[in-house]
Amino acid sequence: NAVLVVDDLYVDADGDGLSNKWEWDHGFDPLSHGTDDPMSSANGDADNDGIANLLEAIFLLDPRVKNTEALLVPRREEDAWIIDYTRSSTEPASLYIEWSQDLQHWLKPGDAEYPAGALDIDLNTGDPGEQNRRIVLPITNTAGFVRWLAHPDR
């Protein structure tokens, strides 16, 4: 038996991208890095719903309960697609949307060819531990595809 003593529950002792607190709260071993149970790692999917544990942590979902609704549902407003979402403010991870015209070459925010006017806005209306955010993707005459990416900031 191992004993882990930390003064910051949001530390990630095993380096798998999930905070110790989140792992403890959801019945995972914060020291395993998924080696004992791959389904408990950041890339694992403990409830087999197609949403990796890291995304479940970021979007304040329960990794032991299948989520049947889409995480992000865009809506059209005038000349843009709008995606509103709530995320954890305690799970340090970078989230961004990449854009492609051909599904082979993906552009990240900041790339010169990335659509102008794309925004990720902090709405600052969340409860403690939550962030309400909005993605704005301008509608252009160029056909394209988007994908959502997340990675731990550890």
Side-chain angles (χ1 to χ4, degrees):
N1 290 342
V3 175
L4 174 66
V5 178
V6 294
D7 56 0
D8 182 356
L9 288 176
Y10 299 103
V11 165
D12 178 16
D14 59 7
D16 66 355
L18 301 169
S19 72
N20 295 338
K21 180 178 180 351
W22 190 87
E23 290 189 79
W24 276 319
D25 288 349
H26 294 93
F28 299 140
D29 181 352
L31 297 176
S32 79
H33 196 318
T35 51
D36 299 332
D37 178 10
M39 297 308 277
S40 70
S41 71
N43 292 326
D45 182 10
D47 55 12
N48 213 13
D49 63 359
I51 302 170
N53 293 332
L54 177 61
L55 288 176
E56 302 242 17
I58 292 168
F59 290 113
L60 306 169
L61 302 172
D62 187 334
R64 303 275 186 198
V65 176
K66 284 189 179 213
N67 299 288
T68 57
E69 296 184 21
L71 284 178
L72 306 171
V73 178
R75 70 180 185 283
R76 185 171 180 163
E77 287 186 8
E78 298 178 19
D79 295 334
W81 288 104
I82 307 294
I83 303 168
D84 290 328
Y85 66 97
T86 300
R87 67 159 290 175
S88 168
S89 61
T90 59
E91 289 298 319
S94 295
L95 302 170
Y96 55 91
I97 291 183
E98 288 187 333
W99 183 83
S100 173
Q101 287 184 310
D102 59 12
L103 295 175
Q104 293 178 356
H105 304 93
W106 290 92
L107 301 171
K108 295 181 174 103
D111 289 346
E113 300 84 17
Y114 194 79
L119 302 171
D120 184 356
I121 304 166
D122 185 354
L123 301 176
N124 273 336
T125 58
D127 295 328
E130 295 181 5
Q131 266 184 344
N132 290 312
R133 299 192 66 83
R134 171 170 290 164
I135 301 282
V136 179
L137 296 169
I139 297 171
T140 65
N141 292 333
T142 306
F145 305 90
V146 294
R147 70 180 177 188
W148 183 263
L149 296 177
H151 66 83
D153 289 341
R154 301 187 203 288

